[in-house]
Amino acid sequence: MDAVSLSTLLAAAAMAGWVDAVVGGGGLLLLPALLVAAPGLPVATALGTNKLAAIFGTSTAAVTYARRTKVDWRVAGPAAGLAVFSAGVGAALAGAVPASAYRPVVLVVLVAVAVFVLARPRLGVVGVPAKRTPVRVAVVIAVAGVGIALYDGLIGPGTGTFLVLAFTALVGADFVHGSAMAKVVNAGTNLGALVVFGVTGHVWWLLGAGMAVCNIAGAVLGARMALRRGSGFVRVVLLVVVVALVAKLGHDQWVAR
């Protein structure tokens, strides 16, 4: 790999770490960058190398959030534990499920998410503790730890965004605390998927280690910025990331065929 391609990947890793720490969706930047900078790289290897970089960034962001705000471990802990296993299953199935099978569904969900967030301007700006009932907690643990984690192992981009929305919509977390819990669960999904990709030989370890350093730097900056600027800032970034995800998946579905 030449110096220009490597520099581009390192810069993309830093930016992906920032986006992931604020609201998730860093894979939107890093996966395409990997596939462009390393032509011929198998998709599974791109996914595995991305997970190596991402696990350091999400773990760093989780620690940063935990030090500066309260993380509801009764929700995040069980969800993260389930996520390790579910994401591993997703990674094992990554090569068997064609992107065309799930891309339209994800597109519809993302559009619905954008409409939902725009229609409810107070969503996630202020926490609603009354929503945190035992039933809702059980539901969000299952959604985050099984459904979203399985998706992350299969393909990944947008996982952090889905997690933030699950915690805000289902148990009434504000965007900052929802993002904090999302980082804990996302670290679990990255770990589960990375183990499977590593065992099957689909990780470019040296490149992934270099990107991990940049991903950590971006994650620290992003987490601190989200904590400093608050839920309103996270909401804006969330909408930008969702629109970008819709554009990217729409392009892959109808233009890049």
Side-chain angles (χ1 to χ4, degrees):
M1 181 177 293
D2 59 57
V4 174
S5 296
L6 180 59
S7 298
T8 300
L9 278 178
L10 295 178
M15 181 58 71
W18 185 92
V19 172
D20 263 337
V22 176
V23 76
L28 174 70
L29 296 171
L30 199 48
L31 275 174
L34 270 166
L35 294 171
V36 170
L41 186 70
V43 173
T45 304
L47 288 167
T49 306
N50 174 61
K51 292 303 178 193
L52 176 58
I55 191 171
F56 285 95
T58 51
S59 299
T60 300
V63 171
T64 302
Y65 276 110
R67 286 177 174 175
R68 300 192 179 200
T69 192
K70 185 178 180 180
V71 175
D72 190 341
W73 292 103
R74 295 172 301 172
V75 177
L82 282 172
V84 176
F85 174 77
S86 300
V89 172
L93 297 173
V97 181
S100 58
Y102 57 79
R103 191 182 293 136
V105 177
V106 176
L107 264 170
V108 171
V109 171
L110 282 170
V111 171
V113 163
V115 172
F116 182 67
V117 174
L118 286 170
R120 300 184 63 182
R122 300 302 297 169
L123 176 72
V125 176
V126 178
V128 186
K131 281 189 174 183
R132 203 159 299 188
T133 64
V135 172
R136 282 177 173 266
V137 167
V139 169
V140 82
I141 288 172
V143 169
V146 179
I148 298 175
L150 185 67
Y151 165 78
D152 192 28
L154 279 168
I155 185 65
T159 295
T161 306
F162 291 140
L163 288 170
V164 172
L165 284 168
F167 291 129
T168 53
L170 294 177
V171 290
D174 62 54
F175 278 129
V176 169
H177 289 88
S179 193
M181 289 190 285
K183 294 304 140 266
V184 174
V185 179
N186 210 174
T189 66
N190 286 332
L191 175 60
L194 178 61
V195 169
V196 172
F197 285 127
V199 168
T200 55
H202 287 297
V203 179
W204 190 344
W205 294 101
L206 186 60
L207 176 62
M211 292 194 304
V213 174
C214 297
N215 201 257
I216 289 171
V220 170
L221 180 61
R224 289 179 177 176
M225 190 174 294
L227 287 164
R228 185 171 65 251
R229 297 196 176 187
S231 294
F233 169 73
V234 177
R235 182 177 187 273
V236 172
V237 176
L238 171 69
L239 286 170
V240 170
V241 169
V242 168
V243 170
L245 279 166
V246 169
K248 173 63 170 61
L249 290 172
H251 177 273
D252 292 345
Q253 178 71 17
W254 291 295
V255 180
R257 286 182 172 183

